[in-house]
Amino acid sequence: MTLASVVAMAMFVGVVVYALFAGADFGSGFYDLTAGFDERGSEIRTLVDSSIGPVWEANHVWLIYILVMWWTGFPTTFAAATTTLFIPLLLALAGIVLRGATFAFRKYSETFAQARLFGAIFAASSVITPFFLGAAAGAIASGRVPAGGYGDLIGSWINPTSMVGGCLAATTCVFLAGVFLTADAARAGSTALAERLRIRTLAVGVATGVVVFAGLYPVAHDAPTLSHGLRTAASPLLALAAVAGAATLALLYRRKYSPARVSAVVAVGSVVTGWGVGQYPWLLVDQVTINDAAGADSTLVGLLIVVGLAGVIVLPALTYLFRLTQQWNRA
Amino acid sequence: MGLGDTFLALASEAGPPGLFPARQQMAVSLGWHIVLACFGVAFPTVIYVMHRRGIVRDDPVALGLAKRWGKVSAVLFAIGAVSGTVLSFEMGLLWPGLMGRFGDVLGLPFAFEGLSFFVEAIFLGIYLYGWDRMPPRRHLAMLIPMGVAGIVGTFCVVSVNAWMNHPAGFAIRDGVVTDINPWRAMFNDGVWFQFLHMWLAAFMVVGLVVSGVYAAGLLRGRTDAHHRLGFTVPFVFGSVAAIAQPIVGHILGMRIADTQPAKLAAFELAETTEGPAPFRLGGLLIDGEVRWALEIPRLGSIIARNSFDRPVPGLDTAPASDWPPVNITHLSFQSMVVIGTLLAAGVVVFWLLRWRGIDLLNNRWFLRFSMIAGPLAILAVELGWVATEVGRQPWTVWQILRTNDAASTNPGLWWSYLGVLVIYLGMTIGAYVVLRSMAKRWRTGETDLPSPYGPPKEETVS
């Protein structure tokens, strides 16, 4: 295990956490978007508002963490990715900006018309953003980001693996959000609302499973290196994802919402981790390995110090914040 | 004039296609973000003093103000978090030549900055949720990590900029960056005073903007305790910062003669090296000649070198290919100095008269002045960044990396620049509408407004 691999793992922990936390946030935009205009629509929107409320902004930090770890730990590959994946990254960024700002603005809106405009932008950008991030990941995983940068501006992210990546990111987000929102609604005692969300989430869950496992087929032809990794080292993780995903659907069906949240997180977490393990030891698949991409050792050590400090300072404070918000929600 | 100069510079520049839009996009996003960053850095400390007063003196007015300011800072923090995310993308999208080559030299402070940003976000959440739910003293103490995170965050971000001015912590052998020591890069020679300059600027901006809001209320005849206190506490912060700032700025300026002579030459509009050098107020450099400048003999040496006759380096110390755009640099720098001096003088007059028993809060002209003091402080911050950044050109990393080589060559940059302009305009309007409507609702007596990190309001949203 080299120093570079440890830093890459620390960075990838950020990717998994971002996929889970931000994923649940992004996905709730889908339910907001499809809530409809009547009274029942406002019920879902209120739920989305209160579920996202306390933590939504903290999630950007994970993205910033990933970017900073990337450009500090593996600078040349970062420049290679940003010059090649210019368009999807820019579109994801636009989505993040619009989403964050309109969510805040909606909360303060005075009139219904204002709230509806901000709400529509919020919901639409929530769905679009994970798609482009997933497409960018697909480009890296299928070896379309050349080591020297400035790869194909269009073809790098419009291709089978990127499309699978984009759809996978979007659907897993929606699936996670559905499970969490259903559980929140049930806990708040809104049984009718929980029932409606449960049906939708079940449908989304089936669709997500289809995307994840049917997606393996085009990937096998389009990204042989990744595909080989998925069939070998990452295969236990994919099996775990399949079991946890099926378990989530069964639990939802039986209205066991709290354990369903755990299995949904396990399912999505192992899909994302599976991608990471599948492309190891490549940082940019078929182009640059993690060890070759690494920056100076002294800088990598510095990064690990920051990660350690974050564990000591941030985690206790974050736990305290979660406890405080839970108290509020119960009261 | 500045604008015409920009276009002239554009027409004559033979850089890569991405250079101009990349520069402009970075300038817009940084210039926008810095205002919100000021609030993230300085507002928690101002709120702390107000909140503490409320607890210690059992003052409901102070507590009410602290609570409102907490919510305002949450809105600003949320938007600032978004524009900060934009910036971290832009580092790669716009400047791959810088990040790819020097990412592991300059990246570490960014990692610490991310950490302190995270800390501030979490404690802001705790603070907003903590009202009436935590023991008052402990609740108040939640502002302390926010203030500290503001200091650390400012230091780290400014550290990267100071490194671009004073590159350190690496060597270049045969074109390859080696011997990297990120700690030496982080604690480079320029960082301490540059940090102090920006940290004080943040307090000037927040102190004067917030007090200006209450000055507007006082001007409309709302002369209650709420408005007087809302004016005074931030104004004290703004005053201390405004008085200290010229001193720090002067020390910072004296170093430039040694570290970046071409920048100083542009600041001072000095064509040739002269000693003693005059001070040139205003003026432009046109076809190699200084025009319309008001020259004051010897003052240039006094200001830039702290001496009556030591020479101020002129543009002749550098080849013309290494000159920054002189007129933009000169005018931005001097406008910043003029505004800073005006603000310092304004607050000194206020406190002197108050010491003599005259309260300018009853003076309509003073209230008008303090209404524009905040926007002027913001303008000074922007001009200062323009002066130091444009003044470093054509270098991104001083005498190491040219901006031509740092910028992306992506032809799509014009589109992203356009997109950034539209989105930022929209966010500005949105932020303005939201803050206005909050103020309006507070005035009509609504107290329980929701906020981004705070607990939910007990009503449906749409």
Side-chain angles (χ1 to χ4, degrees):
Chain A
M1 180 76 41
T2 59
L3 192 57
S5 310
V6 177
V7 174
M9 271 184 212
M11 177 169 110
F12 199 75
V13 168
V15 175
V16 176
V17 174
Y18 185 64
L20 293 174
F21 280 111
D25 273 11
F26 280 129
S28 56
F30 172 80
Y31 300 92
D32 199 301
L33 191 64
T34 56
F37 286 111
D38 53 6
E39 290 280 302
R40 303 202 312 180
S42 92
E43 244 184 339
I44 290 189
R45 293 197 175 98
T46 310
L47 179 68
V48 167
D49 240 40
S50 65
S51 296
I52 295 184
V55 288
W56 67 277
E57 208 49 70
N59 289 320
H60 286 310
V61 179
W62 294 108
L63 187 59
I64 295 176
Y65 167 82
I66 298 163
L67 293 175
V68 169
M69 292 290 280
W70 194 358
W71 81 48
T72 310
F74 310 95
T76 46
T77 57
F78 176 72
T82 52
T83 49
T84 305
L85 300 171
F86 188 79
I87 296 171
L89 289 180
L90 207 63
L91 291 173
L93 179 58
I96 289 170
V97 172
L98 287 173
R99 190 192 120 81
T102 50
F103 183 75
F105 293 159
R106 174 167 83 169
K107 239 184 167 174
Y108 287 90
S109 299
E110 224 169 336
T111 65
F112 185 70
Q114 269 181 21
R116 198 160 58 186
L117 175 68
F118 288 142
I121 302 177
F122 158 72
S125 52
S126 300
V127 182
I128 293 167
T129 308
F131 175 84
F132 287 115
L133 289 175
I140 291 171
S142 59
R144 287 187 168 88
V145 177
Y150 293 101
D152 187 347
L153 275 180
I154 306 291
S156 60
W157 63 281
I158 298 188
N159 59 66
T161 308
S162 285
M163 290 304 112
V164 170
C167 294
L168 196 145
T171 49
T172 49
C173 288
V174 174
F175 174 58
L176 265 183
V179 177
F180 275 85
L181 286 174
T182 312
D184 278 358
R187 201 172 49 178
S190 330
T191 319
L193 183 60
E195 276 304 305
R196 285 201 298 136
L197 284 167
R198 168 176 163 266
I199 303 290
R200 286 187 196 196
T201 310
L202 280 170
V204 168
V206 172
T208 309
V210 170
V211 169
V212 170
F213 289 97
L216 289 174
Y217 179 73
V219 168
H221 292 269
D222 192 55
T225 307
L226 173 70
S227 182
H228 178 258
L230 291 176
R231 278 199 308 271
T232 53
S235 57
L237 283 165
L238 290 190
L240 178 62
V243 172
T248 311
L249 291 180
L251 288 166
L252 272 179
Y253 186 75
R254 291 165 162 253
R255 299 190 177 77
K256 308 264 189 227
Y257 300 128
S258 274
R261 292 193 301 188
V262 178
S263 59
V265 165
V266 171
V268 175
S270 32
V271 169
V272 179
T273 316
W275 158 48
V277 172
Q279 75 162 60
Y280 184 85
W282 296 104
L283 188 66
L284 301 178
V285 171
D286 297 338
Q287 301 281 338
V288 191
T289 62
I290 289 170
N291 284 333
D292 292 341
D297 277 356
S298 51
T299 306
L300 298 181
V301 171
L303 281 178
L304 290 178
I305 291 175
V306 175
V307 172
L309 277 177
V312 177
I313 299 171
V314 167
L315 287 184
L318 197 59
T319 316
Y320 185 64
L321 174 62
F322 274 122
R323 271 186 41 204
L324 203 62
T325 58
Q326 294 288 321
Q327 263 174 21
W328 183 281
N329 291 342
R330 257 183 246 126
Chain B
M1 282 177 289
L3 203 68
D5 195 86
T6 313
F7 283 116
L8 277 179
L10 170 69
S12 64
E13 205 136 31
L19 182 62
F20 181 74
R23 255 185 196 163
Q24 297 303 311
Q25 185 176 334
M26 198 67 190
V28 169
S29 344
L30 266 177
W32 205 86
H33 181 72
I34 192 73
V35 180
L36 297 163
C38 285
F39 278 87
V41 167
F43 215 2
T45 312
V46 180
I47 298 174
Y48 178 85
V49 169
M50 186 59 94
H51 191 157
R52 189 167 180 282
R53 183 189 165 98
I55 291 179
V56 172
R57 304 197 185 181
D58 204 12
D59 179 351
V61 174
L63 279 180
L65 280 163
K67 194 167 187 175
R68 284 188 187 185
W69 290 354
K71 291 184 174 182
V72 171
S73 73
V75 175
L76 297 175
F77 196 88
I79 308 170
V82 172
S83 59
T85 311
V86 172
L87 281 169
S88 46
F89 270 85
E90 285 179 342
M91 292 306 285
L93 293 174
L94 306 181
W95 310 110
L98 171 68
M99 302 313 288
R101 207 159 157 227
F102 294 98
D104 52 346
V105 184
L106 62 79
L108 197 56
F110 280 123
F112 280 101
E113 200 281 332
L115 180 61
S116 56
F117 171 75
F118 208 167
V119 167
E120 187 165 355
I122 292 170
F123 279 93
L124 178 59
I126 295 177
Y127 181 67
L128 292 173
Y129 268 86
W131 283 100
D132 306 327
R133 277 172 197 268
M134 285 166 76
R137 292 276 172 178
R138 197 203 297 169
H139 181 221
L140 174 67
M142 295 300 117
L143 287 162
I144 296 174
M146 290 170 68
V148 174
I151 294 176
V152 176
T154 312
F155 180 87
C156 291
V157 168
V158 171
S159 152
V160 177
N161 183 265
W163 176 84
M164 290 157 71
N165 286 323
H166 306 86
F170 66 98
I172 294 183
R173 288 205 195 96
D174 305 324
V176 181
V177 182
T178 58
D179 298 347
I180 294 169
N181 181 341
W183 305 99
R184 278 212 53 213
M186 186 167 165
F187 294 96
N188 58 69
D189 291 341
V191 66
W192 293 103
F193 278 100
Q194 253 194 265
F195 153 71
L196 203 57
H197 199 46
M198 185 62 232
W199 194 57
L200 288 175
F203 276 91
M204 281 177 74
V205 165
V206 174
L208 296 177
V209 167
V210 176
S211 60
V213 168
Y214 292 90
L218 289 166
L219 197 58
R220 290 193 188 131
R222 303 186 192 115
T223 51
D224 47 7
H226 172 84
H227 280 83
R228 297 184 77 88
L229 193 61
F231 174 86
T232 308
V233 171
F235 192 72
V236 170
F237 277 97
S239 301
V240 174
I243 292 167
Q245 188 70 299
I247 301 165
V248 174
H250 178 59
I251 297 172
L252 200 56
M254 283 193 305
R255 302 165 55 103
I256 301 180
D258 299 322
T259 55
Q260 290 182 25
K263 185 189 271 184
L264 181 64
F267 280 177
E268 301 294 329
L269 207 62
E271 252 210 294
T272 51
T273 309
E274 282 176 90
F279 176 74
R280 297 185 185 82
L281 186 65
L284 285 176
L285 186 72
I286 295 171
D287 296 331
E289 256 179 73
V290 176
R291 295 210 194 152
W292 309 306
L294 178 69
E295 292 208 4
I296 304 167
R298 285 183 186 268
L299 192 58
S301 287
I302 296 173
I303 291 178
R305 305 300 315 267
N306 220 15
S307 131
F308 284 106
D309 48 11
R310 278 165 75 185
V312 170
L315 288 167
D316 55 358
T317 53
S321 60
D322 283 2
W323 289 4
V326 176
N327 290 331
I328 298 181
T329 309
H330 170 66
L331 291 178
S332 317
F333 176 74
Q334 284 202 332
S335 311
M336 172 194 76
V337 172
V338 167
I339 293 173
T341 313
L342 179 74
L343 292 176
V347 301
V348 167
V349 167
F350 175 86
W351 292 109
L352 276 181
L353 287 178
R354 183 153 159 151
W355 176 53
R356 302 304 300 266
I358 302 169
D359 189 357
L360 281 182
L361 283 189
N362 304 319
N363 182 305
R364 299 186 69 78
W365 281 106
F366 177 78
L367 292 175
R368 288 193 187 107
F369 164 77
S370 54
M371 269 175 73
I372 60 159
L376 279 179
I378 292 177
L379 189 62
V381 169
E382 303 289 352
L383 290 167
W385 279 107
V386 168
T388 183
E389 290 302 284
V390 175
R392 197 189 53 243
Q393 303 305 320
W395 303 100
T396 290
V397 183
W398 174 245
Q399 294 198 326
I400 300 283
L401 178 73
R402 282 183 180 266
T403 311
N404 274 349
D405 303 322
S408 172
T409 58
N410 203 309
L413 280 170
W414 276 106
W415 290 104
S416 73
Y417 175 37
L418 208 66
V420 159
L421 282 183
V422 171
I423 284 179
Y424 276 44
L425 184 69
M427 294 216 305
T428 310
I429 296 171
Y432 178 78
V433 168
V434 167
L435 290 175
R436 283 292 300 209
S437 114
M438 285 169 74
K440 205 164 70 190
R441 281 186 277 177
W442 270 325
R443 268 205 298 282
T444 56
E446 232 182 297
T447 50
D448 183 32
L449 297 190
S451 63
Y453 296 79
K457 195 183 169 188
E458 313 296 326
E459 66 165 33
T460 54
V461 170
S462 67

